[in-house]
Amino acid sequence: MGRFSSFAAELARNKTLLLGLLLLLTICLLAVLGPFFVDFANSRVGATIPRSPPTPEHWFGTDGQGRDMFTVMILAMPQTLRIGITAGLISLSVGVALGLVAGFAGGWVDTVIRLASDVMMTIPGIAILVLVAANVREMTVELMAVIVATLSWMVAARTIRAQTLSLRERGYVQVARLNGTSGLKLVFVEVLPNLLPFIAASFVITVSNAMLATVGLEALGLGPQNELTLGMTIYWAQFYGAIIRGMWWWWGPPILTIATIFVGLMLTSAGMDSFVNKRLGAN
Amino acid sequence: MTANYWDYVARRFGIMLLVVFLAVSINFALPRLMPGDPIENQLNQLMASGGGAMGDVGAMVASYRARFGLDQSIVTQYLAYWQSVFSLDLGFSLTNYPERVGDAILAGLPWTLGLLGFATLVSFTVGTLLGGLMGWPRSPRLLKSFGSGVLLLSSVPYFLIGMILLYFFAVVFRIFPAGGGMPFGMSAGFNLETIRAIAWHATLPLLSIIIAEIGAWAIGMRGMMVSVLGEDYIALADAKGLRPRRIFLRYGMRNALLPQMTKLAMALGHIVSGAILVEVIFSYPGIGFRLYQAIQSKDYFVVQGIVLLLSVSIAIAMFILDLIYPLIDPRIAKGK
Amino acid sequence: MNKLLEVRAASVSFSGKQALANVSLAAGGAHPAITAVVGESGSGKTTLLRMLLGFQHPTSGEVIYDGQPLTRMDGAAQKRFRREVQAIFQDPFDAFNPFYKIDHPLLAPLKAFGLSASRDQSYDRIEKTLRSVGLNPAQTLGKYPHQISGGQRQRVMIARALLLEPQIILADEPVSMVDASLRSTILEILYELNRSRGISLIYVTHDLTTAYQVADSIVVLHGGQIMEVGATEEVIHDPAHPYTRSLIEAVPSPDPDTPWNLNQARPPVLAPRDQVLLYPTGPHRAVAAPARAGEIAVTAAQIQLAVSQAKADAVVA
Amino acid sequence: MSVPVVEVDQLVIDYGTRGGVFRAVDDVSFSLNPGERFGLVGESGSGKSTTILALMRMLRGGRVSSGRMRLNGRDLAEVSDAEYRSLRFAEISLVPQGAMSSLNPVLRIGEQMGDIFDDHGVRHTRGQRATIIRELLTQVGLPPEVRHRYPHELSGGMKQRVCIAMGIALRPSLILADEPTSALDVIVQKQVLATLGRVQQDLGAAVILIGHDMALMAHFVTRLGVMYKGKLVETGSVRDIFANPQHDYTRMLINSLPSFDRLKSFRSGAARPVRPAAFQEGV
């Protein structure tokens, strides 16, 4: 009864999950390996003839300032993923911690955390992002990740809180208390392992939310101006009217890549949902 | 309605007040938390980027400093800020001086409300119905596979769909206009022609939101429908010999709709965020586009004003949805 | 000699709603005995149990173990209480963490309370205890909870409690989710824990028949208050409170020829709204009634202790 | 002798599972005369509920592989799905097991009862409908105002009575009661069972009661069938079965019945040595 082989068997049955993970894996491979095969110089302004449609030399054409779009894409992908994954990890840690504390401590601690997450859900994330971004001197990839993370921890916090609340009442937690287990050990040894599927599912959703916020912020022109990211590429395309001018190769590739990432995330999340629920049903 | 209902309303109202309070406070605090003098920072940045026709910067700085009392204590400043919020006096636009921020927002508001209201209404209704049917075992197979395609689109941000629609329907085929709220130079009046022109211009932005949003509602509803159909009361309704239509609507949809309403309240912020970018793509004259322009030209007070308005109106909209909720779910008023 | 766990005039309310009102109860003491707490859903038996385990503090009144209130114990005393007052729960599946093997809940307490010096020693002890409840260690250890039967799981849970050498075991509906054919066996194990090991038990149940099988005294709980308390034989064969009577009448006889009067089912006996007191009707018996001036009320604990005293005397004689 | 209300003849029901075909009901035959009370006992998974669901044509995932079912002389295999719908509750009704969750939480009790008349083509004026529903509620011992209530405002016993009231609304000739009292407290259980017995007598309908509590059965039905692993291992009058059980399983069921006068208390043999039987490795 290896946990790995049961996961492999699940993948074979769960086509949605498989497809989603494959899409994400492809994107990640491209992002990790791609930069080794391109010439960074081609991503600088004026490196090539501007506004050229795709040619054998420039597979994805060039943008309005003479950047080779293929190189731009290869270099932008890891940056965007970095923001998404960093933001996802930060907000997941915050969310899981808050959710566990709220679910376990109860009382006023729970009330405060729940209220905070309700309020954060109400205030449109983009509004705060805009305010912060408009107030910082220079946006960087790291700062972007932190800002986005502060706005996407609520989903994880809510899910984990709800699960913790129900796990807390489970017989085995009570038995563990009778066995002299208490405090953090109770949380980490008895509760956390059973939350793993939910944490994994929350991670996917959190990364997805973080990427959505990132791309949106960048497309508004509030992203890191001096870095290549997928969202900034769209911003510049929009800024120079690439759509109206029919320069589809400028905005097409970033859109397709972003769409692929989001579809991959959604399929993974949907696949995980049925996986997680089935595990629960089996109990 | 019972006393419990009013308890519930009071609680929800409290949360709304809290959100408004926080939104105003964040708006107040953020610029002051940043290093340096906020007014000078903004104006200097403005000067550096050379955006907008500027008068005497020194005089403007002085007027703003006096206005916000930046030399006074933080408490006084805070109270003054609340006063200006209550009197809806949000200051002047920096780039389009002497346009007032309030007026700038008011000019954009009807466009945004119309766009968002219509798109949300259509996508929520159609998506919910589609999702319900997709979760109903008697639905035709064709509908289910069509639905699955729509579901995939739901994960893509609205404005990306907007860009694709814009390219094909406005640039390549030239069926719809490429941007704006209505034709240049057309004077608005309450007549058929104006309405037609407005609808014509709004079609693509609306479609961008609706296409992406339908899937999101359908996914949620399908999941809820499937779990509701597993409930004992559906089995008993079937045993009672009720007509499938009645079981679907009165026993299935009605119950699956409840969490969907909660999600609508939760999703408002997300929808508004997405719609802002759609306005940008289509140069649609709503407050989203205005926000984008303000960010471009570093028109700080307009940015602040719009953000404040968005936060407050979403809080109010959520409160209204909260009021409606007990009317469709009798259990809520009992309170948990 | 057993330590005494005592609830004194405890009330518990949750957001204004009273779950338990002025309940006094004893477990353990000089003469180990089995007390059945009988009640239907909403009677407050779960709250009572959580209170006895220290999971729930009374709103008023107190819980005392070995002469010390739970809320004012030092660390060492708390640890002793935790080890010596154990419980067995209703759902033998839910009691196991699905993430771990059967061994986990058996090893954990030995480590937490420092009851064994090495892993080998732990396993020796675990195997011995498993055998004492009729389980084969080789067929139990190393498995996941879903790989063994419900009856086996419940026995592992009993073994877990025994490993800690408890003074008192609180059993919360231990047989209601076990197959009918195994109920008797589990009950008999519990009974023997008391008779041969001198462990005191509180047996919480909704089922008067199983209470009759094992308990020395019975406490009838209804709407958060005690309706009747007494020696088992007396309560079952001569119920004094109308609620106890209707509980007994609700149990169908296994003999089809013994009339059950299905068509004369009486309306339910409502729980008293006002506080009631227990008035003795005999040395081993007390029944609830509204407060009466001039009469001396007793607590359930007093009656329980009198019953176990009488039982001990009988054995000596 | 009149026509039997229901005849089940050599019924076989299979479920297709991943591991192959699972035979849930294997060659089961029985029949009931008008007004007769029949009990089906067996542990969970013995096939008793499956048999009932087959009579309602509500098998989810299972199918009738062979055998015959007749209702008031009519071969049920020849009834179309649409006709079957109008048969339900009109001729054959069901009192469900999970009364707690069997009522639609967002509809008033009166509306849920009214739906039955509407979808079986029974027209009433507003006043007539109200009177009929009031009478039905009174008949099961509920105050008539219950029709204005929502399910969450009722206790478990009240909900089960509402289910009984719905079951007799169209005066069926057969009532199937699937462990109608297993979720209730003992006192309420007796009252609900008494209510079911009374309305069944008023109506003259036949009833099949499903359960696992032999004693409860013994006092309600006249004839018993014992199911074990899909087979009907024993049928006969309650007295005969109790006096002379044929099958081991039946014997075990009867012997393990708890009672005050029959089963000896452990206490009666004070301070006995440990009986080895109790400590043998269990099932």
Side-chain angles (χ1 to χ4, degrees), chain C residues 71-98:
Chain C
T71 44
R72 270 173 281 153
M73 278 181 173
D74 60 24
Q78 257 177 23
K79 202 165 175 181
R80 213 174 310 122
F81 164 76
R82 190 29 72 239
R83 181 174 71 74
E84 290 174 352
V85 177
Q86 282 299 323
I88 300 158
F89 296 110
Q90 176 176 21
D91 184 343
F93 189 81
D94 193 49
F96 287 91
N97 193 332

PDB file of all heavy atoms in Angstrom, chain C residues 71-98:
ATOM      1  N   THR C  71      -9.218  22.534  37.653  1.00  0.00           N
ATOM      2  CA  THR C  71      -8.747  23.846  37.208  1.00  0.00           C
ATOM      3  C   THR C  71      -7.573  24.356  38.038  1.00  0.00           C
ATOM      4  O   THR C  71      -6.895  25.281  37.634  1.00  0.00           O
ATOM      5  CB  THR C  71      -9.889  24.873  37.297  1.00  0.00           C
ATOM      6  OG1 THR C  71     -10.554  24.680  38.547  1.00  0.00           O
ATOM      7  CG2 THR C  71     -10.875  24.687  36.174  1.00  0.00           C
ATOM      8  N   ARG C  72      -7.359  23.737  39.207  1.00  0.00           N
ATOM      9  CA  ARG C  72      -6.272  24.261  40.049  1.00  0.00           C
ATOM     10  C   ARG C  72      -5.173  23.226  40.290  1.00  0.00           C
ATOM     11  O   ARG C  72      -4.534  23.208  41.330  1.00  0.00           O
ATOM     12  CB  ARG C  72      -6.851  24.759  41.379  1.00  0.00           C
ATOM     13  CG  ARG C  72      -7.251  26.245  41.302  1.00  0.00           C
ATOM     14  CD  ARG C  72      -7.973  26.670  42.547  1.00  0.00           C
ATOM     15  NE  ARG C  72      -9.359  26.240  42.526  1.00  0.00           N
ATOM     16  CZ  ARG C  72     -10.083  26.008  43.618  1.00  0.00           C
ATOM     17  NH1 ARG C  72      -9.547  26.134  44.800  1.00  0.00           N
ATOM     18  NH2 ARG C  72     -11.353  25.651  43.513  1.00  0.00           N
ATOM     19  N   MET C  73      -4.983  22.354  39.307  1.00  0.00           N
ATOM     20  CA  MET C  73      -3.958  21.321  39.471  1.00  0.00           C
ATOM     21  C   MET C  73      -2.618  21.835  38.970  1.00  0.00           C
ATOM     22  O   MET C  73      -2.562  22.617  38.021  1.00  0.00           O
ATOM     23  CB  MET C  73      -4.330  20.098  38.628  1.00  0.00           C
ATOM     24  CG  MET C  73      -5.321  19.189  39.286  1.00  0.00           C
ATOM     25  SD  MET C  73      -5.617  17.802  38.191  1.00  0.00           S
ATOM     26  CE  MET C  73      -6.623  16.789  39.248  1.00  0.00           C
ATOM     27  N   ASP C  74      -1.522  21.359  39.579  1.00  0.00           N
ATOM     28  CA  ASP C  74      -0.220  21.698  39.016  1.00  0.00           C
ATOM     29  C   ASP C  74       0.075  20.730  37.863  1.00  0.00           C
ATOM     30  O   ASP C  74      -0.667  19.776  37.612  1.00  0.00           O
ATOM     31  CB  ASP C  74       0.878  21.654  40.093  1.00  0.00           C
ATOM     32  CG  ASP C  74       0.999  20.275  40.730  1.00  0.00           C
ATOM     33  OD1 ASP C  74       0.604  19.290  40.084  1.00  0.00           O
ATOM     34  OD2 ASP C  74       1.484  20.190  41.871  1.00  0.00           O
ATOM     35  N   GLY C  75       1.164  20.970  37.164  1.00  0.00           N
ATOM     36  CA  GLY C  75       1.487  20.194  35.968  1.00  0.00           C
ATOM     37  C   GLY C  75       1.536  18.703  36.222  1.00  0.00           C
ATOM     38  O   GLY C  75       0.969  17.914  35.453  1.00  0.00           O
ATOM     39  N   ALA C  76       2.189  18.292  37.310  1.00  0.00           N
ATOM     40  CA  ALA C  76       2.351  16.865  37.588  1.00  0.00           C
ATOM     41  C   ALA C  76       0.999  16.218  37.848  1.00  0.00           C
ATOM     42  O   ALA C  76       0.704  15.130  37.345  1.00  0.00           O
ATOM     43  CB  ALA C  76       3.270  16.680  38.786  1.00  0.00           C
ATOM     44  N   ALA C  77       0.156  16.907  38.610  1.00  0.00           N
ATOM     45  CA  ALA C  77      -1.163  16.353  38.927  1.00  0.00           C
ATOM     46  C   ALA C  77      -2.021  16.259  37.666  1.00  0.00           C
ATOM     47  O   ALA C  77      -2.743  15.286  37.466  1.00  0.00           O
ATOM     48  CB  ALA C  77      -1.849  17.235  39.969  1.00  0.00           C
ATOM     49  N   GLN C  78      -1.879  17.267  36.824  1.00  0.00           N
ATOM     50  CA  GLN C  78      -2.636  17.255  35.566  1.00  0.00           C
ATOM     51  C   GLN C  78      -2.250  16.053  34.722  1.00  0.00           C
ATOM     52  O   GLN C  78      -3.085  15.370  34.139  1.00  0.00           O
ATOM     53  CB  GLN C  78      -2.350  18.533  34.786  1.00  0.00           C
ATOM     54  CG  GLN C  78      -3.478  19.534  34.886  1.00  0.00           C
ATOM     55  CD  GLN C  78      -3.136  20.804  34.170  1.00  0.00           C
ATOM     56  OE1 GLN C  78      -2.301  20.836  33.278  1.00  0.00           O
ATOM     57  NE2 GLN C  78      -3.790  21.879  34.560  1.00  0.00           N
ATOM     58  N   LYS C  79      -0.934  15.816  34.691  1.00  0.00           N
ATOM     59  CA  LYS C  79      -0.428  14.706  33.896  1.00  0.00           C
ATOM     60  C   LYS C  79      -0.959  13.383  34.456  1.00  0.00           C
ATOM     61  O   LYS C  79      -1.328  12.478  33.707  1.00  0.00           O
ATOM     62  CB  LYS C  79       1.098  14.734  33.905  1.00  0.00           C
ATOM     63  CG  LYS C  79       1.706  14.001  32.731  1.00  0.00           C
ATOM     64  CD  LYS C  79       3.168  14.330  32.537  1.00  0.00           C
ATOM     65  CE  LYS C  79       3.711  13.463  31.415  1.00  0.00           C
ATOM     66  NZ  LYS C  79       5.119  13.689  31.170  1.00  0.00           N
ATOM     67  N   ARG C  80      -0.986  13.297  35.786  1.00  0.00           N
ATOM     68  CA  ARG C  80      -1.477  12.081  36.411  1.00  0.00           C
ATOM     69  C   ARG C  80      -2.972  11.893  36.076  1.00  0.00           C
ATOM     70  O   ARG C  80      -3.406  10.804  35.724  1.00  0.00           O
ATOM     71  CB  ARG C  80      -1.270  12.162  37.930  1.00  0.00           C
ATOM     72  CG  ARG C  80      -0.975  10.807  38.555  1.00  0.00           C
ATOM     73  CD  ARG C  80      -0.635  10.939  40.033  1.00  0.00           C
ATOM     74  NE  ARG C  80       0.377  11.934  40.310  1.00  0.00           N
ATOM     75  CZ  ARG C  80       0.199  12.987  41.119  1.00  0.00           C
ATOM     76  NH1 ARG C  80      -0.958  13.164  41.734  1.00  0.00           N
ATOM     77  NH2 ARG C  80       1.166  13.852  41.330  1.00  0.00           N
ATOM     78  N   PHE C  81      -3.717  12.984  36.179  1.00  0.00           N
ATOM     79  CA  PHE C  81      -5.152  12.909  35.854  1.00  0.00           C
ATOM     80  C   PHE C  81      -5.336  12.425  34.414  1.00  0.00           C
ATOM     81  O   PHE C  81      -6.140  11.539  34.136  1.00  0.00           O
ATOM     82  CB  PHE C  81      -5.795  14.286  36.038  1.00  0.00           C
ATOM     83  CG  PHE C  81      -7.142  14.418  35.385  1.00  0.00           C
ATOM     84  CD1 PHE C  81      -8.258  13.836  35.948  1.00  0.00           C
ATOM     85  CD2 PHE C  81      -7.283  15.115  34.190  1.00  0.00           C
ATOM     86  CE1 PHE C  81      -9.494  13.950  35.342  1.00  0.00           C
ATOM     87  CE2 PHE C  81      -8.518  15.223  33.570  1.00  0.00           C
ATOM     88  CZ  PHE C  81      -9.626  14.644  34.153  1.00  0.00           C
ATOM     89  N   ARG C  82      -4.582  13.018  33.487  1.00  0.00           N
ATOM     90  CA  ARG C  82      -4.710  12.674  32.080  1.00  0.00           C
ATOM     91  C   ARG C  82      -4.475  11.188  31.856  1.00  0.00           C
ATOM     92  O   ARG C  82      -5.137  10.536  31.061  1.00  0.00           O
ATOM     93  CB  ARG C  82      -3.713  13.534  31.282  1.00  0.00           C
ATOM     94  CG  ARG C  82      -3.762  13.570  29.798  1.00  0.00           C
ATOM     95  CD  ARG C  82      -5.060  13.349  29.102  1.00  0.00           C
ATOM     96  NE  ARG C  82      -6.041  14.395  29.176  1.00  0.00           N
ATOM     97  CZ  ARG C  82      -7.248  14.233  29.684  1.00  0.00           C
ATOM     98  NH1 ARG C  82      -7.628  13.072  30.177  1.00  0.00           N
ATOM     99  NH2 ARG C  82      -8.095  15.205  29.717  1.00  0.00           N
ATOM    100  N   ARG C  83      -3.490  10.643  32.592  1.00  0.00           N
ATOM    101  CA  ARG C  83      -3.161   9.239  32.394  1.00  0.00           C
ATOM    102  C   ARG C  83      -4.188   8.323  33.072  1.00  0.00           C
ATOM    103  O   ARG C  83      -4.588   7.304  32.522  1.00  0.00           O
ATOM    104  CB  ARG C  83      -1.773   8.950  32.955  1.00  0.00           C
ATOM    105  CG  ARG C  83      -1.334   7.505  32.775  1.00  0.00           C
ATOM    106  CD  ARG C  83       0.091   7.280  33.209  1.00  0.00           C
ATOM    107  NE  ARG C  83       0.280   7.340  34.656  1.00  0.00           N
ATOM    108  CZ  ARG C  83      -0.105   6.368  35.493  1.00  0.00           C
ATOM    109  NH1 ARG C  83      -0.709   5.289  35.043  1.00  0.00           N
ATOM    110  NH2 ARG C  83       0.094   6.496  36.783  1.00  0.00           N
ATOM    111  N   GLU C  84      -4.630   8.720  34.241  1.00  0.00           N
ATOM    112  CA  GLU C  84      -5.430   7.797  35.051  1.00  0.00           C
ATOM    113  C   GLU C  84      -6.920   7.811  34.716  1.00  0.00           C
ATOM    114  O   GLU C  84      -7.639   6.891  35.082  1.00  0.00           O
ATOM    115  CB  GLU C  84      -5.215   8.098  36.543  1.00  0.00           C
ATOM    116  CG  GLU C  84      -3.813   7.717  36.987  1.00  0.00           C
ATOM    117  CD  GLU C  84      -3.500   8.137  38.413  1.00  0.00           C
ATOM    118  OE1 GLU C  84      -4.313   8.856  39.035  1.00  0.00           O
ATOM    119  OE2 GLU C  84      -2.440   7.759  38.910  1.00  0.00           O
ATOM    120  N   VAL C  85      -7.370   8.854  34.053  1.00  0.00           N
ATOM    121  CA  VAL C  85      -8.773   8.896  33.642  1.00  0.00           C
ATOM    122  C   VAL C  85      -8.815   8.734  32.126  1.00  0.00           C
ATOM    123  O   VAL C  85      -8.414   9.620  31.384  1.00  0.00           O
ATOM    124  CB  VAL C  85      -9.444  10.213  34.061  1.00  0.00           C
ATOM    125  CG1 VAL C  85     -10.876  10.258  33.564  1.00  0.00           C
ATOM    126  CG2 VAL C  85      -9.404  10.351  35.567  1.00  0.00           C
ATOM    127  N   GLN C  86      -9.239   7.588  31.668  1.00  0.00           N
ATOM    128  CA  GLN C  86      -9.201   7.289  30.246  1.00  0.00           C
ATOM    129  C   GLN C  86     -10.609   7.124  29.668  1.00  0.00           C
ATOM    130  O   GLN C  86     -11.583   7.084  30.407  1.00  0.00           O
ATOM    131  CB  GLN C  86      -8.370   6.028  30.012  1.00  0.00           C
ATOM    132  CG  GLN C  86      -6.865   6.299  30.068  1.00  0.00           C
ATOM    133  CD  GLN C  86      -6.430   7.289  28.984  1.00  0.00           C
ATOM    134  OE1 GLN C  86      -6.946   7.269  27.874  1.00  0.00           O
ATOM    135  NE2 GLN C  86      -5.493   8.171  29.321  1.00  0.00           N
ATOM    136  N   ALA C  87     -10.682   7.046  28.350  1.00  0.00           N
ATOM    137  CA  ALA C  87     -12.000   6.929  27.728  1.00  0.00           C
ATOM    138  C   ALA C  87     -11.970   5.996  26.533  1.00  0.00           C
ATOM    139  O   ALA C  87     -10.933   5.769  25.921  1.00  0.00           O
ATOM    140  CB  ALA C  87     -12.489   8.305  27.298  1.00  0.00           C
ATOM    141  N   ILE C  88     -13.138   5.451  26.234  1.00  0.00           N
ATOM    142  CA  ILE C  88     -13.353   4.657  25.023  1.00  0.00           C
ATOM    143  C   ILE C  88     -14.537   5.300  24.322  1.00  0.00           C
ATOM    144  O   ILE C  88     -15.537   5.604  24.964  1.00  0.00           O
ATOM    145  CB  ILE C  88     -13.687   3.198  25.368  1.00  0.00           C
ATOM    146  CG1 ILE C  88     -12.529   2.570  26.153  1.00  0.00           C
ATOM    147  CG2 ILE C  88     -13.973   2.399  24.117  1.00  0.00           C
ATOM    148  CD1 ILE C  88     -12.969   1.384  26.963  1.00  0.00           C
ATOM    149  N   PHE C  89     -14.392   5.526  23.009  1.00  0.00           N
ATOM    150  CA  PHE C  89     -15.448   6.275  22.324  1.00  0.00           C
ATOM    151  C   PHE C  89     -16.363   5.380  21.507  1.00  0.00           C
ATOM    152  O   PHE C  89     -16.092   4.203  21.295  1.00  0.00           O
ATOM    153  CB  PHE C  89     -14.832   7.361  21.456  1.00  0.00           C
ATOM    154  CG  PHE C  89     -14.098   8.401  22.253  1.00  0.00           C
ATOM    155  CD1 PHE C  89     -12.717   8.504  22.208  1.00  0.00           C
ATOM    156  CD2 PHE C  89     -14.798   9.257  23.089  1.00  0.00           C
ATOM    157  CE1 PHE C  89     -12.050   9.458  22.958  1.00  0.00           C
ATOM    158  CE2 PHE C  89     -14.140  10.209  23.842  1.00  0.00           C
ATOM    159  CZ  PHE C  89     -12.763  10.305  23.783  1.00  0.00           C
ATOM    160  N   GLN C  90     -17.426   6.038  21.019  1.00  0.00           N
ATOM    161  CA  GLN C  90     -18.487   5.316  20.320  1.00  0.00           C
ATOM    162  C   GLN C  90     -18.022   4.725  18.984  1.00  0.00           C
ATOM    163  O   GLN C  90     -18.276   3.570  18.694  1.00  0.00           O
ATOM    164  CB  GLN C  90     -19.640   6.293  20.071  1.00  0.00           C
ATOM    165  CG  GLN C  90     -20.776   5.712  19.275  1.00  0.00           C
ATOM    166  CD  GLN C  90     -21.910   6.706  19.168  1.00  0.00           C
ATOM    167  OE1 GLN C  90     -21.719   7.900  19.332  1.00  0.00           O
ATOM    168  NE2 GLN C  90     -23.099   6.210  18.903  1.00  0.00           N
ATOM    169  N   ASP C  91     -17.334   5.562  18.199  1.00  0.00           N
ATOM    170  CA  ASP C  91     -17.031   5.161  16.823  1.00  0.00           C
ATOM    171  C   ASP C  91     -15.615   4.601  16.757  1.00  0.00           C
ATOM    172  O   ASP C  91     -14.646   5.336  16.808  1.00  0.00           O
ATOM    173  CB  ASP C  91     -17.165   6.375  15.901  1.00  0.00           C
ATOM    174  CG  ASP C  91     -16.957   6.018  14.450  1.00  0.00           C
ATOM    175  OD1 ASP C  91     -16.410   4.932  14.189  1.00  0.00           O
ATOM    176  OD2 ASP C  91     -17.330   6.822  13.589  1.00  0.00           O
ATOM    177  N   PRO C  92     -15.481   3.284  16.650  1.00  0.00           N
ATOM    178  CA  PRO C  92     -14.146   2.694  16.705  1.00  0.00           C
ATOM    179  C   PRO C  92     -13.330   2.953  15.438  1.00  0.00           C
ATOM    180  O   PRO C  92     -12.152   2.638  15.412  1.00  0.00           O
ATOM    181  CB  PRO C  92     -14.423   1.202  16.885  1.00  0.00           C
ATOM    182  CG  PRO C  92     -15.781   0.992  16.346  1.00  0.00           C
ATOM    183  CD  PRO C  92     -16.529   2.272  16.506  1.00  0.00           C
ATOM    184  N   PHE C  93     -13.958   3.518  14.406  1.00  0.00           N
ATOM    185  CA  PHE C  93     -13.158   3.853  13.223  1.00  0.00           C
ATOM    186  C   PHE C  93     -12.602   5.261  13.370  1.00  0.00           C
ATOM    187  O   PHE C  93     -11.431   5.525  13.130  1.00  0.00           O
ATOM    188  CB  PHE C  93     -14.003   3.738  11.955  1.00  0.00           C
ATOM    189  CG  PHE C  93     -13.161   3.858  10.717  1.00  0.00           C
ATOM    190  CD1 PHE C  93     -12.452   2.760  10.246  1.00  0.00           C
ATOM    191  CD2 PHE C  93     -13.050   5.057  10.042  1.00  0.00           C
ATOM    192  CE1 PHE C  93     -11.641   2.869   9.127  1.00  0.00           C
ATOM    193  CE2 PHE C  93     -12.244   5.164   8.929  1.00  0.00           C
ATOM    194  CZ  PHE C  93     -11.537   4.062   8.468  1.00  0.00           C
ATOM    195  N   ASP C  94     -13.465   6.142  13.791  1.00  0.00           N
ATOM    196  CA  ASP C  94     -13.109   7.547  13.948  1.00  0.00           C
ATOM    197  C   ASP C  94     -12.004   7.740  14.978  1.00  0.00           C
ATOM    198  O   ASP C  94     -11.292   8.726  14.974  1.00  0.00           O
ATOM    199  CB  ASP C  94     -14.375   8.305  14.367  1.00  0.00           C
ATOM    200  CG  ASP C  94     -14.207   9.799  14.250  1.00  0.00           C
ATOM    201  OD1 ASP C  94     -13.739  10.242  13.197  1.00  0.00           O
ATOM    202  OD2 ASP C  94     -14.528  10.505  15.218  1.00  0.00           O
ATOM    203  N   ALA C  95     -11.857   6.773  15.875  1.00  0.00           N
ATOM    204  CA  ALA C  95     -10.880   6.907  16.946  1.00  0.00           C
ATOM    205  C   ALA C  95      -9.454   6.701  16.451  1.00  0.00           C
ATOM    206  O   ALA C  95      -8.500   6.938  17.173  1.00  0.00           O
ATOM    207  CB  ALA C  95     -11.186   5.901  18.054  1.00  0.00           C
ATOM    208  N   PHE C  96      -9.315   6.236  15.202  1.00  0.00           N
ATOM    209  CA  PHE C  96      -7.976   6.022  14.649  1.00  0.00           C
ATOM    210  C   PHE C  96      -7.671   7.078  13.596  1.00  0.00           C
ATOM    211  O   PHE C  96      -8.488   7.363  12.730  1.00  0.00           O
ATOM    212  CB  PHE C  96      -7.891   4.641  13.996  1.00  0.00           C
ATOM    213  CG  PHE C  96      -7.850   3.518  14.982  1.00  0.00           C
ATOM    214  CD1 PHE C  96      -9.021   2.912  15.403  1.00  0.00           C
ATOM    215  CD2 PHE C  96      -6.645   3.085  15.501  1.00  0.00           C
ATOM    216  CE1 PHE C  96      -8.998   1.888  16.320  1.00  0.00           C
ATOM    217  CE2 PHE C  96      -6.609   2.051  16.423  1.00  0.00           C
ATOM    218  CZ  PHE C  96      -7.776   1.454  16.835  1.00  0.00           C
ATOM    219  N   ASN C  97      -6.467   7.624  13.686  1.00  0.00           N
ATOM    220  CA  ASN C  97      -6.029   8.547  12.664  1.00  0.00           C
ATOM    221  C   ASN C  97      -5.716   7.747  11.398  1.00  0.00           C
ATOM    222  O   ASN C  97      -4.834   6.895  11.414  1.00  0.00           O
ATOM    223  CB  ASN C  97      -4.767   9.266  13.162  1.00  0.00           C
ATOM    224  CG  ASN C  97      -4.421  10.457  12.303  1.00  0.00           C
ATOM    225  OD1 ASN C  97      -4.728  10.482  11.122  1.00  0.00           O
ATOM    226  ND2 ASN C  97      -3.794  11.448  12.898  1.00  0.00           N
ATOM    227  N   PRO C  98      -6.440   8.006  10.303  1.00  0.00           N
ATOM    228  CA  PRO C  98      -6.275   7.173   9.105  1.00  0.00           C
ATOM    229  C   PRO C  98      -4.872   7.279   8.502  1.00  0.00           C
ATOM    230  O   PRO C  98      -4.490   6.476   7.670  1.00  0.00           O
ATOM    231  CB  PRO C  98      -7.323   7.731   8.134  1.00  0.00           C
ATOM    232  CG  PRO C  98      -7.660   9.080   8.650  1.00  0.00           C
ATOM    233  CD  PRO C  98      -7.451   9.037  10.128  1.00  0.00           C
TER     234      PRO C  98
END
